[in-house]
């Protein structure tokens, strides 16, 4: 059955469906849209006739969406979000700067790179508003595709197929061995693999992709950690390093600020490092506007400072 939705379904219909599923009530949806209940009911009947299916089951407490209703509502929300984003983009183009920068940050970048990058940006461009969403690669890629974020910063994991996104590496997130700067491990003169058997370890959780990479690295070094402490929290790992003699094995960018301040130090690895490129992911159908580019420039400057400082110390 051809429904000819492009010709028959209107923008106001999308708003009606979104309001009903948000408020789970015809009456409350009508109030939210500034309509009378009969007018909204008539609009819903019109939409159901266009779609050719019942979208909501009515009951004394309100309404429940049918499978057809859930499908239509999901599309309505995506389209409404796209229209809202279009309005923001047009305003940004009119102003020339791009408005607020909405950044998707992978965990290592969120904890280690963003604080310093945002501090640099605030000095150079205090007028720019930045909003940060943290998540995993798959989650952020979905938001980027839906145009709900402007760009992603973090590790550039290889993708199984081309997704039309542009990936630009400009730094690395190597896995390193770290300890507080006054840790006795630095005075013992042991090779790193032996040193790691002398002290308790704190590691990222195995459920994280980086956690599995680290376990593989330790296996290559023939290090079998004995009941290591594991956490998905960079803040907790950081405090454990300062409060105990634990040694961490993780991407050193997680503690970028501590490395710059000299509060933690790196131990040399005894095996070659695998490349772990990181940088920027953006859509291929748009260019970064001025504010977004200013954020990227600040991030580039900050990670460049970290890499230069570490190179001078090693």
């Amino acid at each position: 059955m051809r429904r000819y939705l492009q010709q028959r379904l209107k923008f106001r219909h999308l708003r009606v469906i979104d309001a009903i599923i948000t408020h789970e009530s015809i009456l409350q949806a009508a109030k939210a849209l500034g309509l009378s209940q009969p007018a909204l009911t008539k609009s819903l009947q019109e939409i159901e006739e266009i779609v050719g299916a019942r979208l909501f089951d009515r009951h004394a407490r309100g309404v429940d969406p049918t499978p057809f209703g859930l499908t239509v509502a999901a599309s309505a929300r995506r389209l409404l979000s796209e229209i809202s984003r279009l309005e923001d983009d047009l305003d940004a183009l009119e102003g020339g700067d791009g408005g607020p920068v909405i950044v998707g940050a992978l965990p290592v970048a969120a904890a280690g790179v963003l604080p310093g990058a945002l501090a640099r940006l605030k000095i150079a461009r205090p007028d720019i508003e930045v909003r940060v969403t943290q998540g995993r690669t798959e989650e952020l890629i979905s938001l980027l595709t839906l145009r709900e974020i402007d760009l992603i910063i973090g590790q550039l994991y290889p993708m199984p197929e081309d997704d039309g996104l542009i990936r630009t590496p400009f730094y690395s997130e190597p896995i390193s061995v770290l300890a507080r700067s006054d840790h006795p491990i630095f005075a013992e003169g042991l090779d790193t693999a032996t040193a790691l058997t002398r002290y308790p370890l704190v590691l990222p959780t195995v459920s994280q992709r980086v956690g599995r990479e680290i376990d593989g690295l330790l296996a290559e070094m023939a290090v079998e950690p004995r009941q290591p402490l594991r956490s998905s929290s960079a803040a907790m790992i950081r405090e454990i390093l300062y409060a105990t003699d634990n040694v961490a094995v993780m991407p050193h960018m997680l503690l970028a600020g501590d490395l710059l301040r000299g509060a933690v130090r790196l131990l040399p690895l005894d095996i070659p490092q695998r490349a772990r490129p990181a940088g920027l992911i953006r859509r291929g159908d748009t260019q970064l506007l001025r504010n977004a580019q200013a954020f990227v420039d600040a991030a580039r400057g900050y990670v460049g400072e970290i890499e230069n400082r570490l190179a001078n110390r090693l």
Side-chain angles (χ1 to χ4, degrees):
M1 179 182 72
R2 291 290 297 170
R3 295 179 172 86
Y4 299 100
L5 298 183
Q6 291 186 36
Q7 289 80 20
R8 302 174 68 195
L9 203 59
K10 309 298 182 186
F11 182 71
R12 62 181 175 84
H13 294 146
L14 303 180
R15 296 183 66 220
V16 164
I17 294 300
D18 182 57
I20 294 174
I21 203 159
T22 296
H23 296 281
E24 299 180 341
S25 162
I26 298 290
L27 177 60
Q28 295 303 318
K31 288 181 178 179
L33 293 175
L35 300 173
S36 66
Q37 185 172 348
L40 188 132
T41 299
K42 182 178 179 181
S43 291
L44 176 57
Q45 291 170 346
E46 183 179 322
I47 299 165
E48 290 179 327
E49 187 275 326
I50 292 170
V51 173
R54 189 179 73 259
L55 302 184
F56 296 92
D57 290 324
R58 285 75 161 176
H59 53 73
R61 298 182 306 279
V63 295
D64 288 324
T66 66
F68 286 93
L70 289 171
T71 299
V72 172
S75 291
R77 285 186 166 174
R78 283 196 299 271
L79 292 168
L80 289 170
S81 175
E82 189 69 17
I83 293 295
S84 177
R85 184 68 182 187
L86 173 60
E87 188 170 8
D88 290 342
D89 287 348
L90 292 174
D91 289 344
L93 287 170
E94 193 171 57
D97 58 9
V101 182
I102 307 175
V103 177
L106 293 170
V108 174
V113 174
L114 270 187
L118 293 177
R120 272 178 166 255
L121 181 64
K122 197 66 177 176
I123 294 171
R125 291 287 307 279
D127 57 304
I128 296 179
E129 177 187 354
V130 179
R131 304 170 189 168
V132 178
T133 297
Q134 183 175 336
R136 297 186 177 184
T137 302
E138 297 78 10
E139 300 164 347
L140 295 180
I141 290 293
S142 176
L143 293 177
L144 184 63
T145 303
L146 292 172
R147 298 172 60 84
E148 294 183 13
I149 58 178
D150 295 315
L151 54 90
I152 300 170
I153 186 168
Q155 189 181 353
L156 303 179
Y157 290 104
M159 301 302 292
E161 58 187 33
D162 182 25
D163 54 11
L165 300 175
I166 296 176
R167 291 166 171 80
T168 306
F170 62 84
Y171 72 103
S172 179
E173 291 181 353
I175 294 170
S176 304
V177 180
L178 303 97
R180 68 176 193 274
S181 58
D182 61 348
H183 196 292
I185 199 170
F186 295 109
E188 294 177 340
L190 301 172
D191 65 87
T192 302
T194 301
L196 288 177
T197 65
R198 299 275 299 273
Y199 294 95
L201 300 185
V202 56
L203 308 172
T205 56
V206 182
S207 60
Q208 295 175 296
R209 189 181 304 189
V210 67
R212 296 191 293 272
E213 289 185 57
I214 290 168
D215 278 8
L217 179 67
L218 291 174
E220 285 186 50
M221 297 173 66
V223 174
E224 297 184 12
R226 292 172 292 182
Q227 297 182 326
L229 181 60
R230 294 186 183 269
S231 175
S232 60
S233 167
M236 180 176 288
I237 292 175
R238 179 179 183 271
E239 291 305 314
I240 288 168
L241 286 184
Y242 287 133
T244 71
D245 279 344
N246 281 68
V247 175
V249 184
M250 62 184 188
H252 67 242
M253 280 295 183
L254 271 168
L255 297 181
D258 300 84
L259 284 165
L260 283 178
R261 290 185 290 271
V264 296
R265 293 169 55 189
L266 302 179
L267 279 82
L269 279 175
D270 300 328
I271 61 173
Q273 256 288 26
R274 290 193 183 91
R276 301 184 85 250
L280 173 71
I281 306 175
R282 64 176 180 87
R283 292 184 300 276
D285 58 352
T286 57
Q287 294 294 320
L288 292 178
L289 294 177
R290 190 182 304 156
N291 286 355
Q293 186 60 55
F295 166 80
V296 174
D297 292 343
R300 284 178 178 270
Y302 183 61
V303 297
E305 180 184 354
I306 296 167
E307 290 170 347
N308 287 338
R309 293 267 193 99
L310 291 179
N312 291 334
R313 288 176 187 173
L314 294 178

